[in-house]
Amino acid sequence: MLDVHRLRIFRSVVASGSVAAAASNLGYTPSAVSQHVTALQRETGLTLLERAGRGVRPTAAGLEVAAQADRVLARLGEAEAVVADLRSGRTGRLSIAYFASVGAAWLPRVVRRLTADFPGVRLDLTLSEQIADDPDARPDLQVAVAQTGFRAGAGFVAHHLLDDPYRAVVPADHPRAAAAEVDLADLATERWIDNDFARGWCRRNLLEACTAAGFSPRFDVEAHDYPTAIAMVRAGVGITVLPALGAVDLPPGTASVSVVRPEPVRSIFVVVRDAVARTPAARAAVESLQDAVAAGRPGAGPRRTLPTAGVPAATP
């Protein structure tokens, strides 16, 4: 039987790179840490660490044991969280998945209401771009992008939240910065900044619209997310095109313009598991999302911020 305490100490040694550093982090003496690691090696019958300069590094067997220890300790952490919930009177749990721009724009409102109105419910929040194929792997609620007419599948219901049109984010001194809209084809010769490292549905939707407009955008720079791409725009590197929800709070020196002819649009849904759909917390979460949409629909008009004198290049 492996000792969980020794697994924790061993993982600290692996993460720290030395027995002395692990001892300092844990508040133990180096001798005590060494004794626990030696005991773990005796229990497993494996050599888990080897010397590396002034420190240590895991052997191949040590790496595998460390990976298994991570899983054990994570599961133990979940069990400890449940026990803590029960002790404090929290007996419910609601899991919510969301994608990045929703996390910034809508999720704070949802979490604020749920924590205020349902202090007995633990919220499990997960960043996720895709709806899992396996129904058992899905959270209780998931805010997701899907095509119009999306069906949630057996055991789930989908509520349409928003049709989110795309906008071109350009430097504030760009010739089209003050325009209400721009034809997608007119952006064909621009220097494009990619903003979707995951190559997800939102990017594919944009590329499909560009194809319909008769061109394929040339991505000169690849950014991994919307904020980095917008920072690149502010620095004068090029333009980026993204859903309006990602362009709500633009920094000084940038502007956003509606993209039309064709107008790429993504549809946003909240998918709710039937088993929790009628619970007060789940209903409040859906209502809060709908309120957030109603309170600040993006894309209602040109959004821009005026340049300031000597605006420096943004750091990505």
Side-chain angles (χ1 to χ4, degrees), residues 183-260:
D183 284 9
L184 187 56
D186 290 340
L187 301 175
T189 59
E190 296 281 351
R191 288 172 54 87
W192 283 56
I193 301 167
D194 201 353
N195 55 49
D196 187 353
F197 177 74
R199 301 293 191 268
W201 187 89
C202 294
R203 184 180 190 271
R204 295 195 299 271
N205 188 36
L206 173 61
L207 294 181
E208 187 71 18
C210 290
T211 299
F215 74 99
S216 295
R218 185 189 71 183
F219 291 107
D220 292 284
V221 178
E222 181 179 273
H224 288 193
D225 53 40
Y226 295 164
T228 303
I230 292 171
M232 294 282 188
V233 173
R234 182 174 182 242
V237 174
I239 71 159
T240 195
V241 180
L242 44 73
L245 193 62
V248 171
D249 295 315
L250 293 178
T254 61
S256 74
V257 185
S258 294
V259 174
V260 296

Side-chain angles (χ1 to χ4, degrees), residues 12-279:
S12 181
V13 173
V14 172
S16 303
S18 74
V19 169
S24 177
N25 293 335
L26 296 171
Y28 293 167
T29 64
S31 176
V33 170
S34 294
Q35 290 175 15
H36 280 294
V37 172
T38 299
L40 182 62
Q41 292 185 127
R42 185 169 58 249
E43 288 175 352
T44 61
L46 299 170
T47 300
L48 302 178
L49 297 172
E50 59 186 10
R51 288 287 178 187
R54 295 185 178 181
V56 293
R57 64 187 175 199
T59 63
L63 286 173
E64 183 59 33
V65 170
Q68 294 296 327
D70 284 341
R71 299 186 184 97
V72 171
L73 296 175
R75 186 66 189 91
L76 182 60
E78 293 173 3
E80 290 172 343
V82 170
V83 171
D85 286 346
L86 293 172
R87 283 177 177 169
S88 62
R90 288 193 294 267
T91 57
R93 178 175 296 220
L94 188 69
S95 56
I96 303 175
Y98 61 96
F99 57 93
S101 50
V102 160
W106 298 344
L107 200 63
R109 176 191 291 260
V110 176
V111 172
R112 181 178 61 189
R113 176 172 177 185
L114 293 178
T115 54
D117 293 354
F118 306 96
V121 174
R122 166 181 283 273
L123 300 180
D124 292 335
L125 306 179
T126 305
L127 185 66
S128 177
E129 299 288 337
Q130 303 290 336
I131 299 176
D133 293 331
D134 180 4
D136 292 336
R138 296 182 187 179
D140 297 324
L141 284 84
Q142 181 166 4
V143 184
V145 174
Q147 294 176 319
T148 303
F150 164 73
R151 293 177 180 271
F156 296 85
V157 60
H159 301 277
H160 177 263
L161 293 174
L162 180 71
D163 288 327
D164 194 17
Y166 285 54
R167 301 182 69 87
V169 180
V170 302
D173 59 357
H174 190 278
R176 299 185 183 277
E181 60 185 35
V182 59
D183 284 9
L184 187 56
D186 290 340
L187 301 175
T189 59
E190 296 281 351
R191 288 172 54 87
W192 283 56
I193 301 167
D194 201 353
N195 55 49
D196 187 353
F197 177 74
R199 301 293 191 268
W201 187 89
C202 294
R203 184 180 190 271
R204 295 195 299 271
N205 188 36
L206 173 61
L207 294 181
E208 187 71 18
C210 290
T211 299
F215 74 99
S216 295
R218 185 189 71 183
F219 291 107
D220 292 284
V221 178
E222 181 179 273
H224 288 193
D225 53 40
Y226 295 164
T228 303
I230 292 171
M232 294 282 188
V233 173
R234 182 174 182 242
V237 174
I239 71 159
T240 195
V241 180
L242 44 73
L245 193 62
V248 171
D249 295 315
L250 293 178
T254 61
S256 74
V257 185
S258 294
V259 174
V260 296
R261 288 179 287 276
E263 181 186 45
V265 176
R266 67 176 182 177
S267 295
I268 302 177
F269 296 82
V270 56
V271 180
V272 186
R273 187 181 295 275
D274 286 347
V276 303
R278 295 184 180 276
T279 63

